[in-house]
Amino acid sequence: MNEVVSNILGNLATFAPIIFLFYLANLSERGRTAENPGRGKELGIVCYTLVVIGYAGSFLLGLLIHLAGLFMNGPAGASIRQSMQQELQMPLPGVSGILNQLDEVGLGIWLPSLIAMLVLIFPIRKGIAKIIPIDPVKRTHALSLSMSMLVFIQFFVTLGVGLATLSELPGQPTGNGVLASLWSQDILLFILGLIGVGWLSRRTLPESLSRLGLVKPSGRQLLAGLGIGIGLMSGALALEFAAGLLGLTADPHVEELTQKMLGPLFTSIPGILTLGLAAAIGEETIFRGALQPRFGLIFTTLLFALVHANYGFSIATVIVFLVGLCLAFVRNYINTTVSMVVHATYNIGLGVLTLFMP
């Protein structure tokens, strides 16, 4: 199958079920009030049941992988692991290394899956509401909390497998394949943001855009966004330089994996524009627009940093977190549209520097 079509269909298969769940959750909230808290209960039960079925499956899968990893890392399974590694090493370099981290990979799947199911329990959610500004009664907030665990699964699985192992995996995406993957992913994130705040179920399109903080910016706000983006880019480069002076050099595997995932985009203007515009539209809609008013500044920024799992734990992760904090303040004090401008300016600026100053 063509790589472009394959990437688009893969993203659709990933996001369509999540979008559907949020549509169901919002439908269950339509017309629900403090005087009529049971309204939409049936749809809420269907939504929660589907979520639990999905996470129960990932919990069991993660537990099996964890137990298999513990077995193969023990004396009894060492010979089996070594035999499998020898068979896999030649045809699939890099894949054999995953066998050494199966226990960590499994843990990174079953533990967040368990938490994702537990947050659907009202008393637990009520306790969480003391830390972040969610409404524990709302089913949409419960679903958002549960779905946020997908970010932790992605991050911990990436760490469990290891950036070194991932960078050795075979296959190199083409420029068109990466363009199709990023644009389809971020357009779907934008749609998810709209559906997640109630579009097509309990809010009109203008109401949904307003809830997301997507408003028409003034000329002064646009200039402020450009200036903040350039300032963030300069600050990130300065922080990287300072870290290098302190001996905190970048992990070479981070650079290898980033090059493997996004490398084709750094070699052309359309690719660089995609890095800026697609990410700004999708990520800002979800993180700053939809989640930040409910999850608060810190937890949302943490999710934003963790979703960039290809950086692992490195100075790049710290920079992403700090950039996320600045974007969060822009959302709080201006609006999400300007945070998109900041994000796009930052990414495009770094991309242009990479293109002309490799």
Side-chain angles (χ1 to χ4, degrees):
M1 185 184 293
N2 182 283
E3 184 185 351
V4 170
V5 176
S6 177
N7 288 346
I8 293 173
L9 291 178
N11 282 330
L12 280 171
T14 299
F15 287 101
I18 301 173
I19 292 172
F20 175 69
L21 286 171
F22 274 100
Y23 179 67
L24 273 184
N26 274 285
L27 273 181
S28 77
E29 290 286 354
R30 186 166 62 183
R32 189 180 181 212
T33 62
E35 294 74 25
N36 189 12
R39 187 176 179 87
K41 182 179 179 181
E42 296 78 10
L43 281 176
I45 291 173
V46 171
C47 180
Y48 281 18
T49 300
L50 291 174
V51 173
V52 169
I53 289 172
Y55 276 122
S58 63
F59 172 81
L60 292 174
L61 175 64
L63 195 59
L64 287 173
I65 294 173
H66 188 190
L67 293 174
L70 292 175
F71 172 75
M72 285 201 289
N73 286 332
S79 59
I80 298 175
R81 186 185 76 249
Q82 291 171 0
S83 176
M84 292 178 67
Q85 286 176 324
Q86 290 173 358
E87 292 179 9
L88 290 171
Q89 188 61 50
M90 291 303 293
L92 296 171
V95 175
S96 63
I98 297 175
L99 296 175
N100 293 325
Q101 290 92 26
L102 280 182
D103 55 335
E104 296 177 19
V105 171
L107 180 64
I109 297 173
W110 73 256
L111 184 56
S113 297
L114 177 61
I115 296 171
M117 291 185 283
L118 290 176
V119 297
L120 297 177
I121 300 172
F122 177 74
I124 292 176
R125 211 161 53 249
K126 191 174 180 181
I128 294 173
K130 297 177 181 178
I131 304 171
I132 59 176
I134 62 164
D135 183 344
V137 174
K138 288 194 174 181
R139 300 174 190 124
T140 49
H141 293 194
L143 180 61
S144 298
L145 268 180
S146 185
M147 289 295 104
S148 73
M149 290 300 109
L150 293 174
V151 174
F152 287 89
I153 290 175
Q154 177 200 19
F155 183 74
F156 289 131
V157 168
T158 300
L159 286 188
V161 172
L163 299 183
T165 300
L166 288 172
S167 64
E168 293 174 2
L169 291 176
Q172 181 68 40
T174 64
N176 288 337
V178 178
L179 283 171
S181 179
L182 281 184
W183 274 113
S184 60
Q185 171 186 287
D186 286 303
I187 289 171
L188 286 166
L189 281 174
F190 179 75
I191 294 171
L192 174 59
L194 283 171
I195 297 293
V197 299
W199 182 50
L200 299 180
S201 54
R202 60 189 182 89
R203 280 191 172 111
T204 64
L205 181 58
E207 289 172 341
S208 300
L209 292 173
S210 177
R211 159 63 181 81
L212 290 169
L214 296 175
V215 299
K216 184 179 179 180
S218 66
R220 182 175 293 182
Q221 288 176 338
L222 287 175
L223 288 175
L226 288 170
I228 294 169
I230 293 171
L232 281 179
M233 181 183 67
S234 303
L237 293 173
L239 187 56
E240 281 189 351
F241 179 75
L245 293 178
L246 295 173
L248 301 173
T249 55
D251 185 341
H253 299 304
V254 170
E255 297 180 3
E256 290 172 15
L257 187 56
T258 302
Q259 185 65 29
K260 190 180 184 69
M261 293 169 59
L262 303 173
L265 298 187
F266 291 108
T267 59
S268 68
I269 296 300
I272 291 171
L273 290 176
T274 292
L275 281 172
L277 299 176
I281 292 169
E283 293 179 6
E284 292 309 303
T285 298
I286 283 293
F287 290 104
R288 255 61 65 177
L291 295 181
Q292 186 170 307
R294 300 295 173 257
F295 284 179
L297 190 146
I298 298 299
F299 186 51
T300 303
T301 304
L302 176 64
L303 290 174
F304 176 71
L306 295 185
V307 85
H308 295 81
N310 57 299
Y311 295 134
F313 281 122
S314 65
I315 185 64
T317 314
V318 176
I319 291 173
V320 170
F321 184 83
L322 294 175
V323 168
L325 279 179
C326 292
L327 291 168
F329 282 114
V330 171
R331 159 60 160 128
N332 276 358
Y333 292 103
I334 310 178
N335 53 57
T336 305
T337 308
V338 175
S339 74
M340 285 183 174
V341 174
V342 175
H343 196 153
T345 303
Y346 175 83
N347 280 9
I348 291 171
L350 290 179
V352 169
L353 287 178
T354 302
L355 179 63
F356 294 106
M357 300 174 61

